[in-house]
Amino acid sequence: MFRNQYDTDVTTWSPAGRLFQVEYAMEAVKQGSAAIGLRSKTHVVLGCVNKANSELSSHQKKIFKVDDHIGVAIAGLTADGRVLSRYMRNECINYSFTYESPLPVGRLVVQLADKAQVCTQRSWKRPYGVGLLVAGLDESGAHLYYNCPSGNYFEYQAFAIGSRSQAAKTYLERRFESFRDASRDDLVKDALMAIRETLQGETLKSLVCTVAVVGVGEPFHILDQGTVQQMIDAFEIVAEQEGPAAEPDTEAGQEASAEPEPEQGAAAGEGVAPMDI
Amino acid sequence: MYPYVTGTSVVALKYKDGILMAADMGGSYGSTLRYKSVERMKPIGKHSLLGASGEISDFQEILRYLDELILYDNMWDDGNSLGPKEVHNYLTRVMYNRRNKFNPLWNSLVLGGVKNGQKYLGTVSMIGVNFEDNHVATGFGNHLARPILRQEWHENLSFENGVRLLEKCMRVLLYRDRSAVNKLQIAKITEDGVTISQPYSLKTYWEFSAFENPAQGAIGSW
């Protein structure tokens, strides 16, 4: 493909004004297993699909507690995600030590974004291949941010990243207006429903997903499997989705994820570079 | 290491709407009462008020540190701001770290403020000892003013009563502290902001009979 000419390093612009290495990094995010986040005025819920390399192995940890009031869910290169989580934890703990006060999420997110930007402007570095959904509480309420490998960040009412996230996003778009004033439990239920959308046919059970909550009076914590299973049963959302049950496996699902997202995939010659959205 | 130009006590208390703080305007040069218009209380950011006793030049240095801190805080421009608790803890870190390097900032600081309706009053010493309380004082104020405040302070003091109480403390300090001068300011900080009064003097009474002929009846020298 002709775009290979300008994609050797991150410090080379293409004639169309794009940095292909950064865009490739965003692709890595899309290949990771799904992570979703949604928030109300007082709570933020993060959820993710547990992906394991094989039946024999354990699944990767994708949700990290950063501080009592901040947590993060990642999609993409989990190793990069771990490193960034460690950075975030460090920033929070240093701020707490100096000011005896929790670091405002908005500031942490900007620091994270600036760190990611550096990697888009150094020839000896590469962009982080991980997208982060940062959930946190500060004086001005509950917040959900999405940090891109490009160094951009956005605040969201609800968002989904990773493979088959479009299905979750569609669900969230339908329901997001009710999130602001939703109760904590309703928010968790919506998160589970959104996760179910990304599973596309697979049964939703607590084994395949992880859910975490942070809210006013509730420090960030990951819900234990028992509680999650109870909630799934209580909401009776175990029932399989109707429609094409054609996707048996997460691997086979990867290819299918490429085409339902035309507005994100860089259409050759046309189109807005993803990071400009 | 020793101080050159020093300020004496600062006294502060919490009242109904916020914090009241008082300090005189003297800058002593050893035992000489050399400077008589030193402002020892300054507003910090939107929510805090800092009073200092001890070396005046170190106080000015601290004000520069805080200036930079508040500047960077404002540059975030994100609706968050450092409150009195955060400033107090920052100062504690600064004072303690300097003490550990055997190069202290020779001050005792009083940091008061109100943020989101929460009143805060704390103090830090030159060795990094810090705590919060309903009323605090530095230097001689600890010995002369705090006992009065322990007896007479109560929750939800009105502004007038708070000022009256502070003036009572400052008067005692004026009578008994050699480095006190009779020109003081009282500052108030509430949710709405900081106001520092114009300098004024306290009325004093020197005609107590015990002060007449103080040497009469003295039982010889030491």
Side-chain angles (χ1 to χ4, degrees):
Chain A
M1 289 180 61
F2 72 83
R3 73 175 183 181
N4 287 341
Q5 264 192 300
Y6 304 103
D7 65 356
T8 310
D9 58 50
V10 76
T11 50
T12 305
W13 287 99
S14 80
R18 292 153 73 158
L19 290 170
F20 284 118
Q21 280 297 308
V22 178
E23 292 181 31
Y24 295 168
M26 320 250 282
E27 267 318 297
V29 177
K30 293 181 205 159
Q31 302 304 334
S33 59
I36 57 119
L38 20 51
R39 69 160 164 138
S40 69
K41 270 198 296 241
T42 54
H43 287 77
V44 194
V45 178
L46 291 175
C48 71
V49 170
N50 294 342
K51 181 157 89 162
N53 278 337
S54 70
E55 275 187 33
L56 299 169
S57 75
S58 65
H59 64 86
Q60 290 192 308
K61 186 162 164 183
K62 284 160 54 82
I63 297 191
F64 299 90
K65 175 170 174 166
V66 168
D67 201 344
D68 284 335
H69 67 298
I70 301 181
V72 64
I74 64 171
L77 264 50
T78 13
D80 283 3
R82 251 194 351 266
V83 159
L84 288 177
S85 300
R86 187 165 60 233
Y87 169 76
M88 293 167 80
R89 286 172 175 167
N90 212 37
E91 291 300 301
C92 281
I93 218 173
N94 284 340
Y95 189 92
S96 275
F97 175 70
T98 308
Y99 301 102
E100 266 204 43
S101 205
L103 175 58
V105 211
R107 294 193 180 185
L108 178 61
V109 160
V110 174
Q111 284 175 253
L112 202 51
D114 288 347
K115 191 171 161 73
Q117 191 279 340
V118 169
C119 298
T120 67
Q121 215 177 2
R122 306 278 185 272
S123 60
W124 62 89
K125 286 183 178 254
R126 64 158 177 82
Y128 287 104
V130 64
L132 301 118
L133 281 171
V134 183
L137 234 52
D138 67 25
E139 275 183 356
S140 48
H143 299 275
L144 175 67
Y145 291 93
Y146 171 52
N147 278 67
C148 271
S150 61
N152 279 331
Y153 68 96
F154 309 92
E155 186 163 5
Y156 285 97
Q157 191 69 43
F159 200 47
I161 56 178
S163 69
R164 285 177 293 186
S165 57
Q166 187 52 54
K169 265 189 261 187
T170 313
Y171 173 82
L172 294 170
E173 272 168 29
R174 270 199 332 256
R175 306 258 311 141
F176 80 94
E177 260 140 359
S178 68
F179 293 163
R180 254 182 69 90
D181 299 304
S183 73
R184 174 208 186 270
D185 287 346
D186 279 342
L187 215 58
V188 176
K189 172 182 167 186
D190 274 313
L192 287 165
M193 306 274 261
I195 295 174
R196 189 184 62 155
E197 299 292 314
T198 66
L199 292 172
Q200 290 194 341
E202 230 182 284
T203 346
L204 175 67
K205 36 183 202 271
S206 64
L207 277 175
V208 305
C209 64
T210 308
V211 181
V213 188
V214 64
V216 174
E218 190 179 351
F220 184 89
H221 65 289
I222 297 179
L223 301 181
D224 75 272
Q225 300 289 52
T227 319
V228 176
Q229 189 56 52
Q230 271 182 334
M231 297 192 102
I232 294 173
D233 296 335
F235 298 136
E236 290 170 349
I237 47 182
V238 179
E240 279 184 17
Q241 260 185 297
E242 268 141 45
E247 277 126 4
D249 234 12
T250 44
E251 269 99 320
Q254 303 293 28
E255 273 150 25
S257 72
E259 16 108 6
E261 297 158 4
E263 78 279 32
Q264 284 180 344
E270 201 211 307
V272 181
M275 69 192 105
D276 291 341
I277 296 169
Chain B
M1 161 98 209
Y2 25 77
Y4 291 94
V5 179
T6 55
T8 186
S9 325
V10 179
V11 191
L13 47 76
K14 283 190 190 168
Y15 79 108
K16 184 161 63 88
D17 304 325
I19 312 290
L20 280 167
M21 197 185 294
D24 69 24
M25 300 190 75
S28 306
Y29 186 64
S31 52
T32 307
L33 302 177
R34 188 157 174 195
Y35 301 105
K36 309 240 184 103
S37 295
V38 181
E39 283 198 31
R40 298 196 289 116
M41 295 182 296
K42 293 283 184 189
I44 309 291
K46 285 194 292 254
H47 306 285
S48 314
L49 177 64
L50 176 67
S53 66
E55 173 61 56
I56 299 297
S57 64
D58 282 350
F59 175 50
Q60 291 170 344
E61 189 72 355
I62 289 170
L63 289 176
R64 279 179 355 105
Y65 285 151
L66 289 176
D67 213 22
E68 194 175 319
L69 183 74
I70 301 291
L71 179 71
Y72 280 114
D73 189 43
N74 289 337
M75 271 163 58
W76 282 102
D77 197 19
D78 64 351
N80 287 305
S81 56
L82 292 172
K85 176 160 110 135
E86 288 80 20
V87 177
H88 182 225
N89 280 287
Y90 171 80
L91 287 171
T92 304
R93 289 295 113 226
V94 172
M95 301 300 273
Y96 185 64
N97 278 314
R98 288 288 298 256
R99 166 257 197 192
N100 282 341
K101 297 197 283 205
F102 281 91
N103 181 206
L105 288 160
W106 205 283
N107 294 108
S108 285
L109 305 169
V110 173
L111 198 296
V114 190
K115 189 170 178 215
N116 297 336
Q118 295 272 57
K119 300 187 279 258
Y120 186 90
L121 182 58
T123 179
V124 199
S125 76
M126 69 189 246
I127 55 171
V129 175
N130 72 301
F131 54 90
E132 286 172 62
D133 209 337
N134 291 321
H135 48 81
V136 297
T138 67
F140 261 84
N142 274 311
H143 300 105
L144 300 174
R146 298 284 313 276
I148 301 175
L149 293 167
R150 281 183 205 120
Q151 289 274 36
E152 302 190 23
W153 183 90
H154 59 84
E155 209 63 78
N156 290 320
L157 278 164
S158 69
F159 175 74
E160 292 75 23
N161 284 335
V163 173
R164 196 170 296 137
L165 192 48
L166 274 183
E167 284 185 346
K168 182 170 179 177
C169 295
M170 295 306 280
R171 186 171 288 108
V172 172
L173 286 165
L174 180 59
Y175 284 135
R176 295 294 177 175
D177 180 4
R178 269 191 355 167
S179 7
V181 300
N182 195 3
K183 183 173 171 195
L184 70 145
Q185 291 177 302
I186 294 206
K188 115 170 126 84
I189 178 162
T190 62
E191 190 75 56
D192 304 325
V194 176
T195 331
I196 304 182
S197 74
Q198 288 289 74
Y200 68 104
S201 324
L202 294 170
K203 289 209 178 64
T204 56
Y205 183 70
W206 298 96
E207 307 312 313
F208 288 111
S209 54
F211 292 149
E212 287 171 22
N213 289 322
Q216 187 181 70
I219 312 169
S221 67
W222 199 268

